Amino acid sequence: IASNPMYIPDIDVGKLALVWIMAPHQLLALGLQGHTGTGKTELALYLADRLNLPIYIVKIHARMNPQDIEGSYVLDSENNQTITRKEYGPAAKAYRNGGILLMDEFDKASGELTSAMHLLVEGKPWPLEMFKETIMKHPQCFIIGTANTYGNGHDERYITSNQMDQAFLSRFMWLETQYPNVIQESKILEKFAPRLPRHLRNDIIKLANAFRDAALGPNRDGNIDDPIQCIFSTRVMIAWAYYIQTFGIFRTLKQSLDAVFLKSVSRDDAEIANDIVTKVFGDDIHKPLKNLLEKK
């Protein structure tokens, strides 16, 4: 699967992920933890693409059961007859055939599912209950999980995250993904939206970081009193730059920002969010793009 050509990995996190994947043995699975839009899934896709590995993606959710990742028997047609055959799930395919197994948002898994995955993430012989067989891990199977939390349970920002037992969490080597710094995001926007003037791209980045300060604190460690719950991720930043352009020169910045971000902000955070926007952009937020393109 081709990775996002706009994605720029964090150098330190990317190097450590390579250390893990290129080591003679993966004694632990790799856990990528970070806030929404910090590039967890993008990093896994990037590694698979650059290392020419197949990738099997499992979107984890609370109602998923072991059968969904192990596989099941399905009805099929052969020689005008209905037959029953095995259909291995994505996790079983990766385990048997090799490649990266990406368990996306695995902190949303139920206790039943994580219990079924203990041997899987540890790389041991894995019994598939549905087929009454045990499969062995391929020597080039690499298991990566992404999560918004460290499995601590309910979070005010990520309310669907579940609490996971320590026995499961201890089977992962954890790397934390962060939002790109100002210089990195400047390069991303310059690459993605070169037709927008530099002063406008800089203000977009300034607004993104003002929201992150209010949500996560200046050190991005969550050490802040009364944080807002909305997150202005790099994904949102890129989307806004894109829709500023596609909305056209006669629509205001506020119209595109409403569409990609502000309309999704909770009522509790709405007033603070609008204050942050006004502090960064002032009256420019209500001006059409045409006026801002003329501004030097």
Side-chain angles (χ1 to χ4, degrees):
I1 298 176
S3 58
N4 183 354
M6 297 294 179
Y7 173 67
I8 301 174
D10 177 83
I11 293 176
D12 290 335
V13 174
K15 283 183 176 179
L16 289 174
L18 280 173
V19 166
W20 171 81
I21 206 168
M22 299 302 293
H25 305 284
Q26 285 72 46
L27 301 183
L28 299 169
L30 179 62
L32 299 176
Q33 185 276 337
H35 287 285
T36 178
T38 53
K40 302 179 294 296
T41 303
E42 298 282 16
L43 176 56
L45 291 168
Y46 180 86
L47 291 172
D49 185 11
R50 294 307 178 94
L51 297 175
N52 198 31
L53 289 167
I55 185 165
Y56 300 81
I57 304 174
V58 181
K59 295 291 294 182
I60 303 293
H61 57 81
R63 296 184 302 277
M64 184 175 281
N65 58 53
Q67 179 180 311
D68 293 322
I69 63 171
E70 295 175 4
S72 62
Y73 287 103
V74 297
L75 296 177
D76 202 354
S77 178
E78 184 177 293
N79 298 325
N80 295 322
Q81 291 184 332
T82 300
I83 62 170
T84 302
R85 63 175 175 83
K86 291 179 182 178
E87 178 65 39
Y88 288 102
K93 289 178 181 177
Y95 213 66
R96 294 173 72 244
N97 304 329
I100 290 179
L101 169 58
L102 175 60
M103 298 186 298
D104 205 35
E105 300 191 23
F106 77 99
D107 58 340
K108 294 176 172 32
S110 65
E112 178 189 10
L113 183 59
T114 57
S115 296
M117 292 194 296
H118 277 214
L119 295 175
L120 167 71
V121 298
E122 199 169 348
K124 291 184 176 180
W126 184 32
L128 304 181
E129 299 296 337
M130 174 61 66
F131 304 138
K132 306 302 179 185
E133 67 175 277
T134 299
I135 59 176
M136 307 298 291
K137 183 184 178 185
H138 190 283
Q140 289 192 0
C141 173
F142 308 99
I143 301 172
I144 300 177
T146 67
N148 294 128
T149 69
Y150 283 112
N152 297 322
H154 176 77
D155 183 281
E156 289 187 8
R157 188 172 286 116
Y158 306 110
I159 60 174
T160 57
S161 295
N162 292 323
Q163 185 173 4
M164 293 185 285
D165 66 75
Q166 192 61 39
F168 182 70
L169 296 174
S170 65
R171 287 169 163 83
F172 288 85
M173 182 188 96
W174 292 92
L175 296 179
E176 186 172 350
T177 58
Q178 301 281 355
Y179 293 112
N181 59 39
V182 172
I183 295 174
Q184 291 171 324
E185 288 194 323
S186 296
K187 291 179 179 178
I188 291 171
L189 279 193
E190 184 178 7
K191 187 177 181 180
F192 194 85
R195 297 177 63 185
L196 291 183
R198 181 178 297 176
H199 71 83
L200 179 53
R201 296 200 304 263
N202 289 343
D203 284 345
I204 292 172
I205 295 169
K206 189 183 298 183
L207 181 65
N209 281 287
F211 271 103
R212 294 166 195 167
D213 286 347
L216 306 171
N219 297 321
R220 304 293 186 267
D221 56 3
N223 186 16
I224 179 174
D225 294 330
D226 197 21
I228 61 174
Q229 299 306 314
C230 55
I231 292 285
F232 203 108
S233 66
T234 304
R235 182 192 303 121
V236 172
M237 182 192 74
I238 292 172
W240 187 30
Y242 176 78
Y243 283 106
I244 286 174
Q245 298 170 97
T246 55
F247 271 36
I249 61 173
F250 298 110
R251 290 189 173 87
T252 68
L253 297 186
K254 182 67 161 52
Q255 287 176 287
S256 53
L257 184 60
D258 279 341
V260 304
F261 181 67
L262 290 177
K263 291 296 185 183
S264 66
V265 172
S266 69
R267 291 182 179 180
D268 292 339
D269 290 339
E271 183 177 350
I272 298 174
N274 282 296
D275 287 344
I276 293 172
V277 173
T278 302
K279 184 176 181 180
V280 174
F281 275 90
D283 292 337
D284 283 352
I285 196 68
H286 298 291
K287 294 179 181 178
L289 177 60
K290 182 178 183 295
N291 292 20
L292 300 177
L293 293 176
E294 297 169 352
K295 181 180 178 181
K296 294 184 179 179

